[in-house]
Amino acid sequence: MNVELLIFVFIYLIGTLAVGAWAGTRVKNTADFAVAGHTLPLYMVITTSFATWFGAETVMGIPAKFVKGGLSSVIEDPFGASMCLVFVGLFFAVRLYRMKLLTIGDFFRRRYGVPVEILCSVMIILSYLGWVAAQITALGLVFTILSGGAIHHETGMIIGTVLVLIYVMMGGMLAVAWTDFIQMIVLVLGLSYIAWYSSGLVGGTSKVFEYAAERQWFNVFPDPTLKDWAFFIAAAVTMMLGSIPQQDVFQRVMSAKNERSAKYGAVIGGLCYLAFAFVPMFIVVAALIRMPEHSKELLESDPQQVLPRMILDHTPFFAQILFFGALVSAIKSCSSATLLAPSTSFVENILRHIKPNMRDKQLLLAMRITILIFASLVLIYAIMTKGTSIYELVSSAYQITLAGAFVPLAAGLYWKRATTQGAVLSIILGVGSWALVTFSNNIPIRGFNGLNEKLPPQLVALGFAIWGMVFGSNAPQWIKNRCHILMDHIGLRPADSHHDPF
């Protein structure tokens, strides 16, 4: 057991609780708790946007996927995830910021009505189970590794959940923003030093690049077959588009003090994430060179442990402090906001309709209680899905929002003819087709079994969602016009009559 290192990690975690307690003293209402009172300057929007994705999957999940399949296997994250933030900044941030919303669900209510608001909010809330579970799983793994197995994985999950939960419940988005700012500094400095030190261990940066190039890990595009390209595009758009209608992305951008900070904070944060996500990949390749036999064993059993083991076995104590400080920073920055986001959505977009007369202080209390309940559910889900890779937990989280929420959001902002009927049909067809293909192995009908191995469910769902929006928005007017023409033709309505029975 590395007692000294474990103590440093606990001291760091307790330090973030102090930040949360301080932020909690500044929370006066639900706007402060949910979107930091729209007060964050540009540099804090950049760091908190950057922290949106830089979590357990970036430090442990992405490198594990990269050394097994190269860049083509990580197209979803970091490429798709980073472009999500860029697209949010360029096409969504300013329009949404001007509406002064508290949650992304508020947009769906204003544009389409309460039923669409509730449907989209439920999808958004459910999508966070996998994402937050991935962070909790990683925290448990960190405690297990540092304790040499003395702290069981499930126990580590519980400890990590409690520590994150406390400061989020106290300070909300203000606590998240301030801790993100501190944690991203620790993360960038720590991982940069580890990358520099690792390159020295293996004979220089060129050795690392040569090793990866020899194994063709820099190949981005798939084999030139229709099926491979379909799954490649589906992976890219899952987080690129499916993460846009998400409360955690929305609340980080909407916490900005003005439109300019909202726009450029997201764009710069996304580009910074894309650039820095390559650092953990670089370090893992160096680990494969430095400890080839041990790495081979870990790649077969649990590739997510290659990087932590290399740090513990081949770097000095100072480097270990920096690495695990950076790793815990990444995990906490992601898990904190993603605990806050679904809880805020539930209170604002579902509970408000059940109890419409709640005062602001009651809503604030309800948000804190909901965070506690959601954290408990996530912990149970994380324990139940133990053994699932961190990357897979994250990548599967946003398929349902891509299927049901992206098209109504984009159409509602950019297509004036989008209607409530179109949004409802889009959601039904998008989510329905996604579920049909995803769970096709359980459908005892010839032709459906194994459909998810031939067609990417999220791409099928996106196509049906777009068609549903277009058809649902245009069909009523088209039917009305056809009826008028038919009535005119058979003489039931004078051609110059202003009477319209429809």
Side-chain angles (χ1 to χ4, degrees):
M1 181 188 295
N2 200 326
V3 178
E4 295 86 355
L5 188 55
L6 194 59
I7 290 172
F8 269 101
V9 170
F10 272 112
I11 291 173
Y12 178 77
L13 288 168
I14 292 171
T16 59
L17 296 183
V19 175
W22 169 79
T25 62
R26 303 181 62 185
V27 174
K28 307 301 180 185
N29 52 49
T30 52
D32 290 340
F33 193 79
V35 288
H38 303 290
T39 60
L40 299 186
L42 176 60
Y43 67 89
M44 290 192 73
V45 179
I46 292 173
T47 55
T48 197
S49 296
F50 175 73
T52 302
W53 301 133
F54 212 106
E57 77 291 345
T58 314
V59 182
M60 299 168 73
I62 291 175
K65 289 282 288 186
F66 173 71
V67 297
K68 294 182 76 174
L71 290 179
S72 62
S73 65
V74 295
I75 192 66
E76 190 167 354
D77 190 8
F79 294 100
S82 61
M83 288 302 102
C84 163
L85 291 175
V86 172
F87 289 165
V88 166
L90 293 178
F91 304 111
F92 295 87
V94 173
R95 289 175 180 247
L96 291 172
Y97 190 89
R98 289 173 181 170
M99 299 177 72
K100 295 298 179 185
L101 306 169
L102 196 63
T103 69
I104 192 70
D106 291 347
F107 169 81
F108 293 113
R109 181 179 67 248
R110 289 195 192 180
R111 186 65 174 81
Y112 302 112
V114 173
V116 175
E117 171 197 13
I118 294 175
L119 281 173
C120 290
S121 296
V122 168
M123 286 186 290
I124 290 169
I125 291 168
L126 290 176
S127 71
Y128 281 105
L129 278 174
W131 177 266
V132 189
Q135 314 310 315
I136 298 304
T137 298
L139 273 177
L141 185 60
V142 168
F143 288 124
T144 300
I145 292 173
L146 291 180
S147 67
I151 298 177
H152 295 295
H153 196 178
E154 291 84 354
T155 305
M157 290 182 189
I158 295 171
I159 294 171
T161 302
V162 170
L163 290 172
V164 174
L165 180 63
I166 291 172
Y167 86 86
V168 175
M169 286 183 66
M170 287 190 295
M173 190 60 203
L174 276 171
V176 171
W178 276 104
T179 51
D180 279 355
F181 179 68
I182 296 169
Q183 288 169 170
M184 289 307 101
I185 294 174
V186 173
L187 187 149
V188 169
L189 294 178
L191 287 184
S192 296
Y193 174 81
I194 295 296
W196 171 79
Y197 189 88
S198 299
S199 67
L201 288 176
V202 298
T205 303
S206 60
K207 296 288 185 182
V208 178
F209 282 102
E210 287 172 9
Y211 187 91
E214 288 172 2
R215 286 151 182 78
Q216 299 183 331
W217 287 345
F218 293 136
N219 292 344
V220 177
F221 299 111
D223 294 333
T225 66
L226 183 61
K227 178 182 176 180
D228 287 339
W229 268 97
F231 277 91
F232 177 81
I233 294 171
V237 301
T238 297
M239 290 186 74
M240 186 186 301
L241 304 182
S243 299
I244 290 176
Q246 285 290 354
Q247 177 61 20
D248 62 322
V249 176
F250 171 86
Q251 68 191 16
R252 290 174 188 261
V253 175
M254 293 305 109
S255 297
K257 67 177 182 179
N258 53 44
E259 293 177 7
R260 180 179 177 275
S261 297
K263 177 179 180 179
Y264 291 106
V267 173
I268 297 171
L271 294 176
C272 289
Y273 173 70
L274 178 61
F276 207 74
F278 286 96
V279 175
M281 292 187 244
F282 177 90
I283 300 172
V284 161
V285 176
L288 296 180
I289 301 172
R290 178 66 179 178
M291 47 178 209
E293 294 302 322
H294 194 187
S295 296
K296 185 178 179 180
E297 294 175 6
L298 290 174
L299 285 175
E300 294 176 356
S301 57
D302 187 359
Q304 296 168 157
Q305 292 203 39
V306 172
L307 184 50
R309 289 312 325 173
M310 187 265 194
I311 300 300
L312 285 174
D313 297 342
H314 298 278
T315 64
F317 186 65
F318 175 69
Q320 294 173 19
I321 293 175
L322 285 179
F323 172 77
F324 283 99
L327 177 57
V328 171
S329 294
I331 296 170
K332 288 178 77 275
S333 64
C334 258
S335 56
S336 57
T338 46
L339 274 178
L340 177 64
S343 307
T344 305
S345 292
F346 173 78
V347 173
E348 177 67 14
N349 303 116
I350 297 177
L351 186 61
R352 264 185 179 271
H353 299 296
I354 300 173
K355 295 197 170 191
N357 298 321
M358 294 179 71
R359 297 189 301 274
D360 194 76
K361 285 187 177 181
Q362 292 174 316
L363 288 170
L364 186 57
L365 176 61
M367 286 182 183
R368 286 178 164 136
I369 293 173
T370 306
I371 290 173
L372 176 61
I373 296 171
F374 187 77
S376 302
L377 293 174
V378 166
L379 180 59
I380 294 170
Y381 182 76
I383 293 173
M384 289 175 60
T385 55
K386 183 183 175 183
T388 305
S389 77
I390 293 170
Y391 192 92
E392 294 303 322
L393 281 171
V394 169
S395 62
S396 62
Y398 296 112
Q399 291 189 18
I400 190 169
T401 46
L402 174 66
F406 171 72
V407 172
L409 174 63
L413 285 174
Y414 283 97
W415 191 36
K416 293 181 179 179
R417 294 173 62 183
T419 65
T420 300
Q421 297 96 314
V424 171
L425 188 59
S426 176
I427 293 169
I428 292 172
L429 292 181
V431 175
S433 59
W434 171 80
L436 185 68
V437 178
T438 300
F439 304 107
S440 58
N441 287 334
N442 300 319
I443 301 175
I445 301 176
R446 188 176 180 180
F448 280 97
N449 200 268
L451 195 60
N452 56 352
E453 298 175 3
K454 303 172 186 175
L455 297 171
Q458 63 270 48
L459 203 59
V460 172
L462 182 61
F464 272 100
I466 294 172
W467 187 86
M469 173 60 74
V470 174
F471 179 80
S473 297
N474 286 319
Q477 186 61 45
W478 184 86
I479 293 171
K480 179 179 177 179
N481 292 339
R482 294 301 98 186
C483 288
H484 285 171
I485 292 172
L486 178 61
M487 292 173 68
D488 290 340
H489 181 71
I490 62 178
L492 293 179
R493 186 175 76 101
D496 60 348
S497 173
H498 296 288
H499 176 65
D500 187 352
F502 297 96

